[in-house]
Amino acid sequence: MDAWLTGGDRGNATRLIVVDRERFPAIVDALGAPARRWCESNGFAGDSGRWLALPDGDGGNAAILVGSRADAGPYALAWLPLTLPLGNYQLDSRGIALDAGDCALGWALGAYQFTRYRKPARAAARLLVDNQIAQAIEPLAQAAYLVRDLVNTPTEDLGPEQLAACVRELAAAHSAQYCEWVGDELLAANFPTIHAVGRASHRAPRLAQLTHGPAGAPHLVLVGKGVCFDSGGLDIKTADGMRWMKKDMGGAAHAIALAQLVLTLRLPVRLTLLVPAVENSIAGNALRPGEVVLTRAGLSVEIDNTDAEGRLILCDALAYAGEQKPDLIMDFATLTGAARVALGPDLPALFANRDELAGQLQAAADAAHDPLWRLPLWRPYLPMLESHVADLANAGASRHAGAITAALYLERFVPEAQPWAHLDVYAWNDAAKPGRPRGGEAQGLRACFEFLRRRYG
């Protein structure tokens, strides 16, 4: 990865002395009076997000002081790769202690640039890290890059066919089995809601499936919502609401990237990856409000709102996953704006039908510095999804508890005895922050892999 330097002459790497405001005076005093006077003359006092080069007397830099926070986790130095002058750098032990793996991961996340349609703004500075750390962190960084690249790509270049091709390419790279159902094949194979949502697009809906691993291993099923563009259907979105709907396949991007981690790092599981891929478009044959669709699970669903389409494509995939009686089902979806109203853009909403499962995911999130926040499957809200003509509706008149009712809808398609977790992710940064550039973002991905590593590894 270009963000790192794992070999070469360490003597040619500029040293980074990380300080915070609390420990800045002691660290600088230890560097000597000239360093202290230089900081005073430049107004540098260890503030987070600032750096100051210490001159060496020969026109070069003896070291660079970097203001940060010891509790910033992977983002402590993530703002540096595209800020420091181009060159090679290494951490200096004279600064505050930071976890080398966190620093390497954050450095890679901060070096990311989406360059499919334009040249990079500049090359990234490189951090010198040990080979062992690079080998441990690189798969995580590559998975985050994959999510970002997929979510950032416009729908014209990432429709249902191209999204399914990502699954097929992943299968080929790891000698996994691949199959897909396309267009009317979905009806023949009993995936009616995936077909119903995607039938109005000029690009056929499909369900992509990857399988890998021995039959006797614990069976893990990952499901990702792949709505490559969401117009809202006949319940059309406003212009503002539609502007960023290229990202409505962010759940699929997370599921694909997590599957890549499972395969790359060879977790001892039987893996199934399911990506229902559609475009929610408007045409004469578009799904209409008031229609009733008979789902794969045999439950009839009244279409209250065609803009609640993600749960429709997921319900067939979840029913299919449940038929296989796996050890665990996990799904990822950019499912509701209500989750963002409740938790904001940075916190994915976690739902789980087992307290133990939710607790393990939360513990893994804390360990990985990759937050999740549990919301309840509050079943007293199920009446909000009642229909007078079908078994249930895909939405309801109330705007209350939208993330919870969406999760409750999905739960109806998961067997009661089946462990299941659902992540409602935003998959996007509205504004740039250190290590988190504006645009597509992996959220909860490291947390989920850490959980899987602990469960199966």
Side-chain angles (χ1 to χ4, degrees):
M1 179 170 285
D2 290 341
W4 298 328
L5 179 70
T6 56
D9 184 1
R10 290 177 177 264
N12 290 331
T14 302
R15 293 185 172 274
L16 301 176
I17 303 174
V18 184
V19 299
D20 57 14
R21 286 190 62 87
E22 179 183 357
R23 281 163 284 194
F24 168 77
I27 292 173
V28 172
D29 282 346
L31 295 176
R36 184 175 62 253
R37 288 194 297 270
W38 183 251
C39 290
E40 290 171 352
S41 65
N42 284 277
F44 182 81
D47 294 311
S48 182
R50 290 190 62 197
W51 61 267
L52 177 68
L54 298 176
D56 62 5
D58 295 321
N61 295 327
I64 291 181
L65 292 171
V66 176
S68 186
R69 297 193 339 266
D71 62 352
Y75 303 108
L77 305 181
W79 52 282
L80 292 174
L82 300 179
T83 303
L84 288 174
L86 188 62
N88 302 326
Y89 297 86
Q90 65 173 313
L91 288 176
D92 191 300
S93 60
R94 290 173 289 179
I96 62 176
L98 296 175
D99 182 89
D102 280 350
C103 289
L105 176 61
W107 197 279
L109 296 177
Y112 172 86
Q113 298 179 80
F114 184 59
T115 59
R116 179 163 180 168
Y117 303 101
R118 66 179 184 183
K119 294 179 179 179
R122 50 156 287 180
R126 296 195 296 177
L127 181 69
L128 186 66
V129 299
D130 292 338
N131 286 325
Q132 187 176 3
I133 291 174
Q135 290 169 6
I137 297 301
E138 185 165 3
L140 297 173
Q142 294 288 8
Y145 277 34
L146 176 60
V147 173
R148 292 173 175 182
D149 284 348
L150 289 173
V151 175
N152 283 330
T153 302
T155 306
E156 185 64 21
D157 292 325
L158 192 70
E161 181 179 1
Q162 291 82 12
L163 186 59
C166 293
V167 180
R168 185 172 61 247
E169 291 164 7
L170 181 63
H174 294 275
S175 300
Q177 294 76 47
Y178 176 82
C179 67
E180 64 180 4
W181 297 267
V182 181
D184 289 346
E185 294 174 0
L186 291 165
L187 296 176
N190 193 22
F191 296 108
T193 56
I194 300 174
H195 183 274
V197 171
R199 70 192 184 201
S201 174
H202 65 292
R203 293 186 278 192
R206 60 196 68 216
L207 175 62
Q209 175 180 267
L210 174 154
T211 55
H212 181 274
H219 189 185
L220 168 67
V221 181
L222 304 177
V223 183
K225 172 189 168 184
V227 178
C228 295
F229 191 84
D230 181 19
S231 70
L234 291 176
D235 289 310
I236 192 168
K237 293 178 181 287
T238 64
D240 286 346
M242 204 186 301
R243 173 62 180 90
W244 300 110
M245 283 300 99
K246 69 174 185 178
K247 80 176 189 65
D248 211 21
M249 39 57 65
H254 280 74
I256 294 168
L258 186 55
Q260 177 176 285
L261 280 168
V262 169
L263 292 169
T264 300
L265 297 175
R266 299 180 180 180
L267 287 192
V269 298
R270 176 166 177 78
L271 173 67
T272 297
L273 169 64
L274 298 172
V275 174
V278 303
E279 185 175 1
N280 189 20
S281 297
I282 299 172
N285 64 337
L287 188 65
R288 294 179 287 269
E291 288 189 14
V292 176
V293 179
L294 185 64
T295 66
R296 180 182 184 88
L299 293 171
S300 58
V301 174
E302 182 181 14
I303 307 305
D304 177 79
N305 192 316
T306 62
D307 196 21
E309 84 300 329
R311 65 198 72 180
L312 293 174
I313 66 170
L314 286 173
C315 74
D316 272 359
L318 287 172
Y320 176 55
E323 292 165 13
Q324 302 176 50
K325 300 181 180 179
D327 180 67
L328 176 65
I329 299 173
M330 299 180 71
D331 80 73
F332 302 81
T334 51
L335 202 62
T336 66
R340 310 286 69 80
V341 172
L343 300 178
D346 296 342
L347 279 176
L350 165 66
F351 296 87
N353 63 357
R354 302 286 191 279
D355 289 340
E356 180 183 12
L357 176 59
Q360 291 167 350
L361 276 160
Q362 202 81 61
D366 293 342
H369 304 289
D370 193 22
L372 301 173
W373 196 268
R374 189 184 186 188
L375 292 181
L377 289 164
W378 187 248
R379 293 176 184 86
Y381 289 162
L382 274 169
M384 295 184 186
L385 296 174
E386 286 182 351
S387 165
H388 71 284
V389 298
D391 292 321
L392 74 164
N394 74 324
S398 176
R399 298 182 65 183
H400 293 165
I404 295 174
T405 56
L408 288 171
Y409 175 92
L410 296 180
E411 189 187 29
R412 289 290 301 272
F413 298 88
V414 177
E416 186 175 347
Q418 173 64 59
W420 164 70
H422 158 61
L423 269 73
D424 190 335
V425 298
Y426 191 44
W428 192 259
N429 295 316
D430 290 317
K433 292 177 284 189
R436 290 158 286 189
R438 186 184 182 199
E441 185 58 281
Q443 296 178 322
L445 180 64
R446 300 193 312 275
C448 289
F449 181 73
E450 175 63 17
F451 159 75
L452 293 177
R453 186 192 64 78
R454 294 180 177 192
R455 185 180 181 98
Y456 300 117

